Amino acid sequence: MNLHPPFRHGAFRISSPYGSRPVLGDYHNGIDLIGLDGDRCVTAVMGGKVMQSRMVISHANRTWEWGNYVSVLQDDGVTAYYCHLDSRSVKQGDIVKAGDELGIEGNTGYSLGEHLHFEVRRDNKAFNPADYLGIPNESGRIIELPVIPEPSYEELVVSKCGLEKQTRDYINAYKYAQDLWRKLYEQMV
C-alpha cells in the first residue's frame, strides 16, 4: 500500500512512539512526529473524507487532549487522526487525496511541545500507526519517506472519458488547465 508521508516533504522525527510510556504513566495510542527542515505542513497519508475538523477545549470531551485536530475516514476504512495542529486547512465533509494539506503542526490540547500526534483506528480501535506507515516505532528515529507524486488529472479524466486530442489541446490552452483537470476529475469520482 502506498501511503503519502504525514508531512509535505516526507522527512520527520519520531518524538514519542506508540505504546506504553512508563515515564508519563500512560498508554500512547498514537505516534508523535516532528517535521524536519522547517516542514510543518501536515498532509493526508491517504485519500478519504474529512469527518472532523475542529478545536476541542472543553475538558468534558476527552478529545480536548488533541486540541486542534482533523480526522479523515480513508478509502481503506481506517480513520486517521492528525492532532495538536496550529491551524486546519480543511473542513468537515471535504474530500481529500493523499498528500493534500490538512493543517500546520502545532502545540494545542495536552501537548508538551510542537508536534503532530498521528493516530489510526479501525472500528474505533486504535492500532500501531508505525506499523501502518511501515516505519520503526522508535523514539528519536529520523524517517524519510518518498512523497507520492501528484497524479496527472488530465490522464485520469481521459482514461475515464476518452477525450479526443483536439479537446485536450483546447483545455490545455487555458491558463488554469491543471486546476480545471483536477476539478473535472473530482466531479467524476
Side-chain angles (χ1 to χ4, degrees), residues 35-61:
L36 297 180
D37 301 324
D39 183 8
R40 297 179 61 223
C41 182
V42 173
T43 54
V45 299
M46 179 182 279
K49 182 177 182 178
V50 175
M51 302 307 288
Q52 296 288 332
S53 178
R54 64 185 182 162
M55 169 69 114
V56 178
I57 55 174
S58 169
H59 287 230
N61 183 333

Side-chain angles (χ1 to χ4, degrees), residues 77-150:
V78 169
T79 302
Y81 296 85
Y82 305 82
C83 309
H84 305 307
L85 300 174
D86 184 53
S87 62
R88 294 168 280 120
S89 305
V90 293
K91 63 184 181 318
Q92 187 175 357
D94 284 353
I95 303 298
V96 296
K97 66 184 183 328
D100 279 355
E101 180 178 327
L102 300 177
I104 301 298
E105 173 188 87
N107 188 23
T108 60
Y110 183 58
S111 170
L112 302 174
E114 188 172 286
H115 70 282
L116 167 68
H117 171 86
F118 178 71
E119 190 169 316
V120 286
R121 295 181 183 197
R122 183 176 282 115
D123 300 323
N124 206 27
K125 294 197 182 336
F127 63 96
N128 191 335
D131 289 347
Y132 184 72
L133 292 172
I135 62 174
N137 188 36
E138 299 172 16
S139 185
R141 180 67 81 102
I142 292 178
I143 308 292
E144 292 187 47
L145 295 176
V147 174
I148 298 172
E150 185 154 328

